[in-house]
């Protein structure tokens, strides 16, 4: 993975049922689980949990990049932003840009990659940006 | 919410089935979905997706704090760290400490609260730390 390289991660469409199912388990705030209450909220309708938005991005990341890689997990994420809500029926498209790639000094069998991740909806509005770090096994170790 | 106040958010136990179910949908890496492959990985066994860990914290946050609040959502999170993996059968205990609470200058009907969130397992090992921002309706507006 070379700095500046951008991986297109494809698209996925989310249904109202998926939004409610995720939020019922993990984030049961009214504007995530109750369409009527959501319509009366500042959001004017049901929106996905931000954690669901992250999880949907992760699925694109797995299918579009990690399944062909030697991913060894991640120590964390920085600067997660949800600039616009995700709504039922939205089609979300993801990308990941390599910000930095280097070999670990302490564990030279693995590389450390910083990715700037982005996801937008069918209108081109950004719904997720974040900076994350991942570990990958090096091919030559 | 006063700066320095800590909210105890209670505990929750995660099963292997839940770990596999979440990861099958959102993060199907071998060490999250395949116990045999996970045993051969650097983790030595199945571990929860970091996004599942965040989602489990969010559920504690909803039940322990937000359901009694006037939460209006969040613009994002900073410095998410997964210092130790979450494994099947782990009991996770969460807390949230108020780092800053102020009224919005642009929208004075709402407050902006920065929380330092933490979750640890039954051994006392930290499994999640993060800094997040939330919006709340002000009682006196």
């Amino acid at each position: 993975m070379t700095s500046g390289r951008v991986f297109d991660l494809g698209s996925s469409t989310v249904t109202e049922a998926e939004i409610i199912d995720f939020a019922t388990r993990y984030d049961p705030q009214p504007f995530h689980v109750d369409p009527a209450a959501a319509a009366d909220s500042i959001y004017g309708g049901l929106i996905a949990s931000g954690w669901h938005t992250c999880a949907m991005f992760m699925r694109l990341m797995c299918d579009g990049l990690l399944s062909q890689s030697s991913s060894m997990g991640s120590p964390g994420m920085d600067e997660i932003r949800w600039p616009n809500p995700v709504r039922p029926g939205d089609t979300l498209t993801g990308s990941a840009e390599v910000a930095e790639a280097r070999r670990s000094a302490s564990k030279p069998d693995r590389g450390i990659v910083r990715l700037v991740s982005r996801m937008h909806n069918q209108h081109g509005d950004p719904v997720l940006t974040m900076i994350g770090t991942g570990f990958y096994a090096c091919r030559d170790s």
Side-chain angles (χ1 to χ4, degrees), chain A:
Chain A
M1 296 195 196
T2 314
S3 184
R5 182 170 174 188
V6 178
F7 295 92
D8 292 323
L9 303 177
S11 300
S12 175
T13 300
V14 62
T15 66
E16 180 178 287
E18 288 165 355
I19 287 174
I20 293 174
D21 181 59
F22 184 100
T24 299
R25 294 180 188 207
Y26 298 115
D27 192 355
Q29 300 186 73
F31 42 81
H32 295 320
V33 297
D34 180 340
D40 286 337
S41 77
I42 58 168
Y43 298 110
L46 204 71
I47 65 170
S49 167
W51 300 112
H52 189 189
T53 302
C54 289
M56 289 187 279
F57 177 83
M58 191 66 205
R59 181 56 191 260
L60 292 180
M61 183 83 175
C62 284
D63 292 349
L65 178 59
L66 297 185
S67 62
Q68 294 94 50
S69 81
S70 54
S71 167
M72 297 169 75
S74 166
M77 295 283 147
D78 292 309
E79 294 180 37
I80 295 183
R81 295 294 178 271
W82 299 296
N84 290 286
V86 170
R87 298 180 186 276
D90 277 359
T91 297
L92 307 175
T93 302
S95 68
E97 178 178 349
V98 179
E100 184 189 1
R102 62 186 173 83
R103 193 177 288 261
S104 167
S106 60
K107 296 177 179 171
D109 63 329
R110 68 186 68 173
I112 299 170
V113 179
R114 296 266 291 169
L115 292 174
V116 178
S117 297
R118 300 179 180 94
M119 195 162 65
H120 63 267
N121 65 20
Q122 67 276 16
H123 307 299
D125 303 320
V127 298
L128 176 68
T129 62
M130 62 182 174
I131 301 171
T133 304
F135 298 133
Y136 299 83
C138 291
R139 289 204 179 87
D140 61 356
S141 65

